[in-house]
Amino acid sequence: SYKDALTLTGLTLPDSAEVSVGLIKRLNATLDPDYAECTLEWSSSDDDIATVDGDGVVKGVSEGECIITVIGSDGISASCVVTVKAVSGCSIAEFKSMDEQGESILMLNDAEVLFSYQTRTYVRDSTGAITFNNLGTTLKRNNRVSGMLYGKLSFLNNMPQFSPVAELTDLDNLDVIDGDQVKPHEKKLEDLSADDYADYVLVKGVKPPRGIL
């Protein structure tokens, strides 16, 4: 019958998955048949290790291992062993040194928001500056940002960009406060390099050609 054709007969999850403390990872349940009509209930064997919401999004709480289980409305279930690891992140300079499309956790400690316009925000920490692209948060100039973000590296016109990764970039891990007016780094024209892309720089000692005011 038509109703029988929509009945769930199988449910699977990946055998295992990893997530870092404070970060999230979505577990995708595979239905058999994929058009089956059912509701899914998710649970964690230890919420002190990792939690899971109603959409299968797992968040690491502390180092360890637990089992995430999903149960269909007809009692069919599947489980995944989730290992939560300690956070291993990098500075802006280290993030920029990755291969293009590489992914990592960016650690921010009182980083400065240099400028923000539409979908692009320019951020500097003690190691360098980078552009946040389509981050989806309303950072504004002179904000100070601390916390961690998972993202990938890309380049636009040689300018390094931090871009979010679907289901992994969690803005709840950011602490944003107002700060003092940001100041430019002073550099000579001949000392400018690719490391200065996305930074706020005051170029010193540049004389205009004769006859130009």
Side-chain angles (χ1 to χ4, degrees):
S1 68
Y2 174 74
K3 183 177 180 180
D4 290 338
L6 298 179
T7 300
L8 182 70
T9 59
L11 185 61
T12 58
L13 286 175
D15 291 335
S16 61
E18 293 182 352
V19 64
S20 295
V21 173
L23 295 182
I24 62 174
K25 183 180 184 67
R26 180 184 291 275
L27 295 181
N28 293 311
T30 301
L31 308 182
D32 184 16
D34 57 9
Y35 50 81
E37 293 183 351
C38 69
T39 58
L40 300 177
E41 292 187 5
W42 296 82
S43 63
S44 170
S45 64
D46 191 339
D47 285 339
D48 291 332
I49 300 296
T51 61
V52 62
D53 69 11
D55 295 318
V57 177
V58 177
K59 184 168 185 175
V61 177
S62 62
E63 291 182 73
E65 189 174 276
C66 66
I67 297 175
I68 301 297
T69 300
V70 60
I71 302 177
S73 52
D74 53 3
I76 296 176
S77 65
S79 297
C80 173
V81 177
V82 171
T83 301
V84 180
K85 294 185 173 182
V87 175
S88 178
C90 60
S91 66
I92 287 178
E94 292 167 332
F95 190 87
K96 289 161 59 174
S97 70
M98 296 190 304
D99 292 335
E100 187 168 9
Q101 301 302 315
E103 298 182 6
S104 183
I105 299 170
L106 178 62
M107 303 293 292
L108 298 172
N109 182 18
D110 200 33
E112 301 173 304
V113 177
L114 306 174
F115 184 72
S116 185
Y117 178 70
Q118 294 182 347
T119 63
R120 301 172 67 78
T121 303
Y122 301 83
V123 178
R124 173 210 287 162
D125 69 6
S126 61
T127 70
I130 196 168
T131 305
F132 285 172
N133 186 40
N134 292 316
L135 192 58
T137 186
T138 55
L139 295 175
K140 61 179 185 288
R141 187 174 185 181
N142 302 329
N143 280 162
R144 297 296 191 272
V145 186
S146 298
M148 55 187 177
L149 281 177
Y150 188 95
K152 67 179 178 181
L153 177 68
S154 62
F155 290 88
L156 177 65
N157 297 325
N158 293 321
M159 185 176 290
Q161 299 184 115
F162 175 101
S163 297
V165 178
E167 314 302 342
L168 293 177
T169 304
D170 184 1
L171 301 181
D172 290 339
N173 291 315
L174 290 184
D175 180 29
V176 182
I177 62 174
D178 290 330
D180 298 329
Q181 180 76 29
V182 296
K183 297 180 179 180
H185 287 148
E186 296 186 357
K187 288 203 169 185
K188 294 181 179 180
L189 182 62
E190 60 268 23
D191 293 333
L192 291 175
S193 69
D195 289 337
D196 298 308
Y197 284 138
D199 205 344
Y200 177 28
V201 177
L202 174 63
V203 180
K204 297 185 63 179
V206 177
K207 296 180 179 180
R210 184 173 297 178
I212 297 180
L213 296 179

